[in-house]
């Protein structure tokens, strides 16, 4: 091998190492920025939704790989159309940080819980929208099949479906939606419409993000792709910061680049995903009316909408003007005023009773009085106490009964 060829190879090798080093440095910076974004608050529940074959599970795995230290692992099973894998992804599968993070120090950050869901056809009808509502409100149990809900709908209808899932706890109430489609396939317009309507027409409005996969297979300047991207973004209402065109860890990428994701990670794939997920997990994005419940139950909202909700409890009665009742402060003021009036009018009676008792004590010290006078004084000394006690107690009881009646009539 000539000296010139060896020098060219060494130069290319050095250039490659420099490039890889620069990419790894950029990746580390992207990781740090993401961690800054999730160091406070709570772990969000992020739903991945898309039609079969769009690269949804591959994207889910790629997100977890970008978050991890070691590299790629197949945590979300990738479908192969008809085999066991496809059946698995027809269940709701969730991946909290304790299941995918591979370094203990990362647990200090609020990495999101990723919810991988498949089984939706490209359709938009009452059933699809209700299934999406069940998922978005966290009423579909972990690893449950969507087909079970479909079968229930066939036998009991929409009302029966709602009644059944309204009894479940809110274990995975969705905070963010990432709709995933392929840049090389026709868009599932009807499913996109169902997701957009369900996420926005309810009182509880959830932020939507969008991902087009298979970037490595398209020409970004191609007119057909530009049209597809425009339709995708307009269909979901996506600005630049909530849209990502990316390549994921997959067989095709390995074959194209002559690498294996089993042996190494690809910073060029991680960096755009980390930047995108930093936007997804940004706490400034708020779920509008986050405490609204599935089927509009009237439970009192918990102070913190955590990812693992406790069993719902009935809301305590509130005495506010909006409910037509008497505010607690007003009730206290009325009771205080009545007590003051009672004391004012009963005070002379109390004084008279005390004077009688004092006179009896002076006239009948010890056993010097006659039996009849002793009986009279004893009756006088105890009478005022009984009368005052009964009057005071009767007044307070009557006041409470009157306030309760007024409150009930105000509510009605």
């Amino acid at each position: 091998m000539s000296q010139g060829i060896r020098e060219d190879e060494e130069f290319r090798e050095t250039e490659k190492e420099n490039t890889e080093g620069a990419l790894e440095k950029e990746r580390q910076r992207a990781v740090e920025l993401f961690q800054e974004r999730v160091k406070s608050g709570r772990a969000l529940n992020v739903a991945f939704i898309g039609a079969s074959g769009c690269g949804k599970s591959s994207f889910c795995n790629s997100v977890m790989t970008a978050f991890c230290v070691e590299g790629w692992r197949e945590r979300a099973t990738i479908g192969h159309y008809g085999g066991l894998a496809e059946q698995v992804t027809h269940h709701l599968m969730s991946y909290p940080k304790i299941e995918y993070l591979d370094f203990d120090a990362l647990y200090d950050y609020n990495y999101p819980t990723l919810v991988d869901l498949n089984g939706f056809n490209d359709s938009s009808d009452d059933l699809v929208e209700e299934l999406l509502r069940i998922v978005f409100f966290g009423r579909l149990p972990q690893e449950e099949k969507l087909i079970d809900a479909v079968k229930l709908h066939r036998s009991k209808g929409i009302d029966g479906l709602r009644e059944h899932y309204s009894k479940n706890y809110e274990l995975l109430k969705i905070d963010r939606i990432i709709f995933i489609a392929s840049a090389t396939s026709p868009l599932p317009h009807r499913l996109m419409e169902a997701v957009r309507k369900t996420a926005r027409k309810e009182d509880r409005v959830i932020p939507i993000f969008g991902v087009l996969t298979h970037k490595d297979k398209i020409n970004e300047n191609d007119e057909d792709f530009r049209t597809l991207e425009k339709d995708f973004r307009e269909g979901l209402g996506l600005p630049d910061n909530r849209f990502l065109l990316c390549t994921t860890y997959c067989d095709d990428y390995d074959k194209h680049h002559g690498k294996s994701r089993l042996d190494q990670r690809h910073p060029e794939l991680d960096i755009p995903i980390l930047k995108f997920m930093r936007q997804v997990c940004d706490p400034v994005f708020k779920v509008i009316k986050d405490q609204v419940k599935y089927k509009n139950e009237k439970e009192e909202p918990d102070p913190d909408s955590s990812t693992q909700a406790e069993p719902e409890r009935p809301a305590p009665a509130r005495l506010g003007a909006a409910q037509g009742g008497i505010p607690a402060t007003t009730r206290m003021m009325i009771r205080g005023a009545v007590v003051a009036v009672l004391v004012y009018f009963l005070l002379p009676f109390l004084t008279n009773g005390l004077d009688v008792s004092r006179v009896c004590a002076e006239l009948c010290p010890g056993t010097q009085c006659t039996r009849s006078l002793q009986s009279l004084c004893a009756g006088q000394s105890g009478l005022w106490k009984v009368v005052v006690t009964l009057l005071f107690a009767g007044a307070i009881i009557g006041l409470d009964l009157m306030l309760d009646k007024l409150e009930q009539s105000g509510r009605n």
Side-chain angles (χ1 to χ4, degrees):
M1 183 180 295
S2 67
Q3 181 69 23
I5 295 176
R6 283 198 301 269
E7 289 177 352
D8 288 342
E9 289 181 349
E10 289 175 0
F11 175 78
R12 285 194 294 269
E13 188 67 27
T14 301
E15 189 177 47
K16 177 182 177 182
E17 290 176 357
N18 291 338
T19 301
E20 290 177 350
L23 282 173
E24 184 58 33
K25 185 176 180 180
E26 185 180 355
R27 180 190 175 277
Q28 289 299 327
R29 178 57 178 162
V31 170
E32 292 171 1
L33 290 173
F34 176 81
Q35 291 174 344
E36 283 290 321
R37 191 62 50 92
V38 297
K39 67 180 181 181
S40 60
R42 63 178 181 85
L44 300 174
N45 296 323
V46 180
F48 294 80
I49 296 180
S52 298
C54 67
K56 179 180 55 58
S57 295
S58 293
F59 180 75
C60 186
N61 279 321
S62 298
V63 170
M64 289 186 276
T65 301
F67 287 160
C68 291
V69 173
E70 293 181 0
W72 183 90
R73 296 178 69 182
E74 189 180 12
R75 294 176 175 86
T77 306
I78 300 171
H80 291 288
Y81 310 109
L84 176 61
E86 185 188 10
Q87 298 173 13
V88 169
T89 53
H90 278 74
H91 295 69
L92 181 146
M93 303 294 293
S94 66
Y95 303 93
K97 65 180 180 180
I98 59 172
E99 291 189 11
Y100 64 80
L101 293 179
D102 52 6
F103 189 57
D104 290 347
L106 298 178
Y107 294 158
D108 295 335
Y109 299 95
N110 294 306
Y111 279 80
T113 295
L114 308 180
V115 182
D116 184 16
L117 185 67
N118 205 339
F120 286 103
N121 297 320
D122 182 20
S123 60
S124 177
D125 54 26
D126 291 342
L127 174 58
V128 171
E129 291 183 18
E130 195 61 38
L131 292 176
L132 288 170
R133 290 186 73 250
I134 291 169
V135 173
F136 294 165
F137 279 93
R139 297 302 179 113
L140 189 70
Q142 166 81 337
E143 300 184 3
E144 181 166 320
K145 292 182 179 180
L146 276 177
I147 192 62
D148 294 336
V150 174
K151 291 178 180 177
L152 181 63
H153 172 262
R154 290 171 182 168
S155 60
K156 296 188 177 181
I158 288 292
D159 291 338
L161 194 67
R162 290 174 179 168
E163 182 65 25
H164 175 80
Y165 284 99
S166 66
K167 299 175 183 177
N168 291 348
Y169 298 141
E170 291 180 351
L171 299 180
L172 284 170
K173 199 171 186 179
I174 300 302
D175 303 295
R176 304 285 190 271
I177 298 167
I178 299 180
F179 194 99
I180 303 167
S182 172
T184 61
S185 302
L187 295 176
H189 288 285
R190 288 173 293 180
L191 181 57
M192 289 166 55
E193 179 186 5
V195 169
R196 178 178 52 80
K197 288 172 57 179
T198 307
R200 293 179 179 173
K201 77 175 183 179
E202 303 289 338
D203 288 335
R204 185 176 186 268
V205 181
I206 309 171
I208 301 176
F209 296 77
V211 172
L212 286 176
T213 59
H214 302 138
K215 177 182 178 180
D216 53 325
K217 295 182 179 181
I218 56 99
N219 178 1
E220 295 184 47
N221 296 319
D222 181 76
E223 189 63 29
D224 290 339
F225 169 73
R226 286 180 173 273
T227 301
L228 182 141
E229 179 186 345
K230 180 176 179 291
D231 291 346
F232 181 71
R233 294 176 59 170
E234 290 182 351
L236 295 173
L238 302 174
D240 288 343
N241 63 304
R242 285 192 271 125
F243 169 74
L244 173 66
L245 172 64
C246 72
T247 302
T248 60
Y249 285 82
C250 61
D251 293 339
D252 290 340
Y253 186 81
D254 286 351
K255 293 174 183 177
H256 181 72
H257 291 273
K259 300 179 178 180
S260 173
R261 60 192 183 279
L262 298 176
D263 301 329
Q264 58 185 315
R265 67 182 320 125
H266 305 314
E268 64 272 19
L269 302 185
D270 296 339
I271 293 168
I273 290 175
L274 285 166
K275 292 180 178 179
F276 176 72
M277 292 304 296
R278 180 167 171 251
Q279 290 297 109
V280 171
C281 297
D282 193 337
V284 301
F285 285 112
K286 300 295 183 183
V287 178
I288 300 175
K289 295 187 178 180
D290 190 29
Q291 302 298 337
V292 170
K293 304 291 184 178
Y294 177 69
K295 222 183 117 180
N296 294 322
E297 297 106 325
K298 301 298 183 183
E299 293 88 352
E300 185 77 4
D302 294 330
D304 177 29
S305 176
S306 62
T307 56
Q308 297 296 326
E310 296 179 358
E312 299 155 7
R313 296 178 292 273
R318 293 182 292 178
L319 302 178
Q323 285 76 33
I326 300 174
T329 54
T330 304
R331 179 188 283 267
M332 292 173 61
M333 292 175 62
I334 294 174
R335 182 178 290 146
V338 172
V339 170
V341 170
L342 288 174
V343 170
Y344 177 80
F345 284 105
L346 292 178
L347 189 60
F349 187 78
L350 292 172
T351 304
N352 293 337
L354 290 172
D355 291 341
V356 172
S357 298
R358 191 181 300 111
V359 171
C360 288
E362 292 176 355
L363 295 178
C364 303
T367 58
Q368 297 177 7
C369 289
T370 63
R371 180 175 299 176
S372 59
L373 187 57
Q374 287 181 352
S375 176
L376 177 62
C377 286
Q380 287 292 335
S381 62
L383 177 63
W384 67 274
K385 298 178 181 178
V386 175
V387 172
V388 170
T389 301
L390 291 177
L391 288 175
F392 197 81
I396 296 299
I397 292 172
L399 175 64
D400 282 340
L401 291 174
M402 179 185 70
L403 292 176
D404 289 340
K405 288 183 178 180
L406 288 174
E407 192 166 332
Q408 291 176 2
S409 63
R411 287 173 179 168
N412 296 332

